[in-house]
Amino acid sequence: MDNLTFKNSILLVEGLKVTPQTSYPVFFLLFLVYVFAMVCNIGLIILISTEKNLHHPMHFLFCNLPVNDIIGTTVMLPRLMQDILKETSERYITYVECVIQAYFVHIFAAASHYALMIGLTIRLSHCRFKIENPFCDNASLFKLSCENVSINNVFGIIYTVIVFTFSLGSVFITYLKIATVCITSKNKALNRKAIKTCSTHIAVYLIMFVSCATMVFLHRVPELSENRKIASIMFHIVPPGLNPLVYGLQTKEIRQNPLLLVSKYNKEYGSTTHSSTKGCESK
């Protein structure tokens, strides 16, 4: 089974450990919870969208939250309910499906935290009119207030430290495992490919990490505002500019497709131009 799982990228999901007698009651309970969540969130979105007097920043946040809740619930509950009705040994999921689910689970978690941060900010009154940043972000918004924003600063710092800790930890563990495989493996071509991919990934990751950390922490140091502005701009333009080069051009299939398209275009365009030229010459 292990060889078959690895070969076909089929994973076994443990799921909830329920007895055959309780599987249907648990299924219907989760189904009712899912339907209730969907009806409430969709109803809230429709209400906010159709009522013009609710078109305000606070209600926009309330509209964003149900959209996020719909995504977070849908990406998890239907699959969980499906697995409950199956035997433990038959709860399979493809690797691609698992990656997609993990992606949206983390998007849901991150969006929930950021929505809470923005919610804390927009409840503040603002007495200033100057955004001390090249663009609007949460820290720039709560700086508009003359109220005590200590809770916003503390929440932002704590959340950032937690995210950075998990981010660095996961990257460290991943690269430690890759390094272990490279050391134990005698395949030089595979090792060169791993080093080439990992080195460029680390470079982009470090630029993004340092820029983001600098942007967040220097928001609390007004004397270094210009450094923060440069870091914030780098965070939004350097990784998006480098990622297509790092991940796109290093992937053989992606690198070859544009060349194939150009070749196909030249072939078709060239033949069309040649035909048109012959037609003109005949006239």
Side-chain angles (χ1 to χ4, degrees), residues 149-253:
V149 294
S150 299
I151 187 172
N152 298 72
N153 276 307
V154 171
F155 184 85
I157 290 293
I158 292 175
Y159 176 73
T160 301
V161 169
I162 292 174
V163 171
F164 282 0
T165 301
F166 276 104
S167 177
L168 283 174
S170 62
V171 169
F172 176 77
I173 293 173
T174 301
Y175 279 105
L176 183 62
K177 292 183 177 181
I178 293 174
T180 303
V181 172
C182 289
I183 292 172
T184 56
S185 174
K186 297 182 180 180
N187 190 332
K188 295 182 179 179
L190 181 64
N191 290 346
R192 283 197 300 269
K193 184 178 180 180
I195 293 172
K196 181 181 178 182
T197 303
C198 293
S199 60
T200 51
H201 174 268
I202 289 176
V204 175
Y205 177 80
L206 288 177
I207 291 173
M208 182 181 67
F209 183 88
V210 173
S211 300
C212 183
T214 304
M215 177 180 64
V216 172
F217 290 107
L218 289 189
H219 257 299
R220 280 77 184 172
V221 186
E223 295 81 9
L224 300 176
S225 61
E226 291 303 314
N227 303 72
R228 170 180 51 79
K229 292 176 183 178
I230 295 173
S232 64
I233 293 174
M234 286 184 61
F235 175 71
H236 284 85
I237 64 173
V238 175
L242 292 179
N243 284 337
L245 299 177
V246 172
Y247 302 110
L249 296 182
Q250 284 196 357
T251 304
K252 184 178 179 181
E253 293 79 3

Side-chain angles (χ1 to χ4, degrees), residues 34 70-79 100-102 104-105 108:
Y34 180 69
I70 288 172
I71 294 174
T73 307
T74 302
V75 78
M76 189 273 292
L77 268 183
R79 178 81 201 191
I100 293 173
Q101 187 181 52
F104 282 104
V105 164
F108 166 71

Side-chain angles (χ1 to χ4, degrees), residues 10 19 59 189-190 198 282:
I10 301 298
T19 62
H59 299 107
L190 181 64
C198 293
S282 63

